[in-house]
Amino acid sequence: MKQSGRADSKWLPIALASLVLCNGCSVLPGFNKELPGNRAFIDYWAPDPNSKQPTLAVKDNIDIKGVVTTAGSGFFSQTHKPAEKDAACLAIARRRKVQIVGKTNMTEFAISPSGMNEYFGTPENPLKRNLIPGGSSSGNAIAVASGMADMAFGTDTAGSNRVPAACCGIVGLKTTYGLIPIKGVYPVEPHLDSVGPMGKDIDHTVQGMDLLQDGFAAKYAAAKAAKPTARSIRVGRLKLKSTDPKIDQAIDDALAKTGFQVVELDNSVSDKFEQAKKDGTTVAAAGAWISDGRFEFALGVAARTKSVIQYGQLNFTTGYRSALARRSAWQRTLNDVFAKVDVIALATLQKTPPGLPLLNLRIGIMEAHLLQVQNTVAVNFAGNPALAVPVPLRGARVPLTSLQLIGPRLAEADLLNAGRLIEYAVNK
């Protein structure tokens, strides 16, 4: 392997597999508690049919008073006590008496992008059952897509709201770093973690955001009034070389049909995005080691999870600090782009969601693949907000792909307004 400031991405599948296969403890079986039905919820509480309050699902790495926060882990479900109080991000929902209908399934410790879970079972993708649901907020996506909740709160460290939204045909919002309090949320990486809403459409995602930030509905109304049509919105179109041409075409078709002013971004931005993606992946992977390294040899923790933790240790020792040192330069690059355009548009995923492996070796190869095809972590690395919106896709095994919009800091209302215009244009 050549020497660099990080573990070279082409060796990622081999590194993950080797780390697990060399660790005897990692291949020991864990608990087995597969959930019934579509496996969206770890705990489900049926809503009051007579209530007019909306229903909210909560990812199970967010504390709810009196409920064990499993973080998708059988080990935690067996060893942890119920939370003593709600996470801070639930305060508005509690005050408004929203119906919280359950804690949703997720990848263990929120550190894997596939959405697969060996202990609770993998939630079923509503677009096609044999495809991965995407993670780590997989249960959220299935709960919303299946109508079991109007909206959901998830976390996004490297794409964990947007990736499952892209895989399952719903909307996912990654909020500006630091905007929503993360006290009471099980951590992954302190420089990247965020809380955000997911919904079946833009309206429900706006409702979810209004439960996370007081006064957001008014900000969204103001954004709609300021730019009621797409003609006044400048969209910087970012294309990455590895993206499936059918997906790029679907993105271009959606932008053209909506009527935005589209500005092609040059290759220098693409090159810097790719570097930020590598750096963000390094930091996110190291976060798995920082937060969960103590479980590297714990019985009952899935081998898949251990492979990610061990790969995180490799990244922490080889590239973590140098990657963080490049973050401010990437932030300046985005600021320069946003001086010329209002939002940036690109594919959320470079490929359609992969199928569930026929032979589940539990060694993290699927995670390695997803890290390469997702275009999300560079946004977390900068701290900006981003929105994943479904758009039609022709000639593929699924009818939808996902268009990602990136905005300046605190531009959530503007992103959702642009998403509203896209949603209307592609569905009419």
Side-chain angles (χ1 to χ4, degrees):
M1 185 183 297
K2 68 181 180 180
Q3 295 298 312
S4 67
R6 59 179 180 84
D8 199 311
S9 61
K10 73 178 181 179
W11 295 104
L12 180 55
I14 298 172
L16 287 171
S18 300
L19 283 167
V20 166
L21 292 175
C22 291
N23 177 1
C25 293
S26 292
V27 297
L28 290 174
F31 303 105
N32 184 9
K33 184 189 175 184
E34 187 166 296
L35 302 172
N38 64 10
R39 296 181 287 281
F41 285 93
I42 290 172
D43 281 304
Y44 178 71
W45 314 302
D48 180 355
N50 298 315
S51 174
K52 295 182 180 179
Q53 292 294 327
T55 54
L56 173 67
V58 178
K59 186 176 180 180
D60 203 15
N61 60 343
I62 299 173
D63 285 348
I64 291 180
K65 183 179 179 179
V67 182
V68 174
T69 301
T70 74
S73 174
F75 179 72
F76 277 16
S77 73
Q78 299 287 330
T79 59
H80 279 205
K81 296 180 179 179
E84 295 183 358
K85 57 184 178 181
D86 288 338
C89 62
L90 294 179
I92 300 171
R94 289 295 199 190
R95 190 165 67 242
R96 297 183 189 173
K97 303 188 184 304
V98 168
Q99 296 190 87
I100 297 177
V101 295
K103 302 294 290 295
T104 54
N105 201 355
M106 55 182 286
T107 55
E108 190 170 33
F109 304 152
I111 60 174
S112 301
S114 68
M116 298 167 65
N117 187 300
E118 269 73 42
Y119 178 73
F120 290 109
T122 299
E124 291 181 358
N125 190 315
L127 296 182
K128 206 168 186 179
R129 290 180 63 182
N130 68 336
L131 301 181
I132 65 160
S136 61
S137 305
S138 50
N140 274 359
I142 279 66
V144 167
S146 64
M148 298 179 74
D150 294 321
M151 64 204 83
F153 287 172
T155 60
D156 194 314
T157 299
S160 290
N161 271 6
R162 290 159 290 156
V163 171
C167 290
C168 298
I170 67 165
V171 178
L173 177 65
K174 180 250 182 257
T175 56
T176 301
Y177 176 76
L179 177 63
I180 308 302
I182 58 173
K183 184 177 181 181
V185 176
Y186 187 78
V188 179
E189 211 298 316
H191 299 90
L192 308 180
D193 291 346
S194 64
V195 174
M198 302 169 72
K200 68 178 181 179
D201 52 29
I202 293 295
D203 281 348
H204 284 89
T205 309
V206 170
Q207 290 179 45
M209 188 64 199
D210 194 52
L211 294 174
L212 289 169
Q213 184 185 26
D214 261 328
F216 182 79
K219 293 181 180 180
Y220 177 64
K224 288 169 62 178
K227 296 188 176 179
T229 67
R231 291 190 300 272
S232 59
I233 299 176
R234 301 165 300 166
V235 174
R237 178 68 169 100
L238 180 63
K239 292 187 177 181
L240 304 176
K241 295 176 183 178
S242 300
T243 304
D244 183 331
K246 291 180 180 178
I247 291 178
D248 260 341
Q249 188 61 57
I251 302 300
D252 288 335
D253 290 346
L255 296 174
K257 192 171 184 180
T258 307
F260 293 116
Q261 299 178 48
V262 178
V263 178
E264 296 289 339
L265 299 181
D266 61 38
N267 290 337
S268 67
V269 180
S270 300
D271 292 343
K272 291 175 181 178
F273 188 97
E274 294 285 13
Q275 181 61 52
K277 178 178 175 178
K278 294 172 184 176
D279 287 337
T281 298
T282 294
V283 173
W289 165 253
I290 294 167
S291 296
D292 302 307
R294 63 192 183 280
F295 304 119
E296 181 180 4
F297 302 107
L299 294 178
V301 173
R304 180 188 310 281
T305 304
K306 291 177 179 179
S307 71
V308 177
I309 292 171
Q310 292 163 340
Y311 184 69
Q313 182 181 17
L314 178 64
N315 276 270
F316 182 75
T317 57
T318 61
Y320 180 69
R321 290 174 180 82
S322 58
L324 281 177
R326 288 187 287 270
R327 185 170 57 159
S328 59
W330 171 232
Q331 291 169 332
R332 287 194 299 272
T333 294
L334 285 181
N335 289 340
D336 290 343
V337 173
F338 288 127
K340 303 171 185 176
V341 300
D342 299 302
V343 297
I344 297 170
L346 70 161
T348 307
L349 298 177
Q350 296 179 3
K351 313 291 182 185
T352 55
L356 292 165
L358 295 177
L359 179 61
N360 185 5
L361 298 176
R362 305 181 181 187
I363 57 176
I365 292 177
M366 181 63 74
E367 276 61 41
H369 174 65
L370 261 293
L371 288 175
Q372 301 308 306
V373 303
Q374 66 186 30
N375 293 331
T376 51
V377 69
V379 187
N380 299 77
F381 189 54
N384 289 49
L387 180 72
V389 183
V391 296
L393 177 65
R394 297 182 181 88
R397 59 180 171 178
V398 289
L400 299 170
T401 189
S402 181
L403 191 164
Q404 182 179 202
L405 296 174
I406 306 169
R409 287 183 57 83
L410 305 176
E412 284 81 1
D414 295 321
L415 288 175
L416 285 161
N417 181 47
R420 170 188 68 88
L421 295 167
I422 294 168
E423 183 177 82
Y424 176 78
V426 300
N427 290 327
K428 67 181 181 181

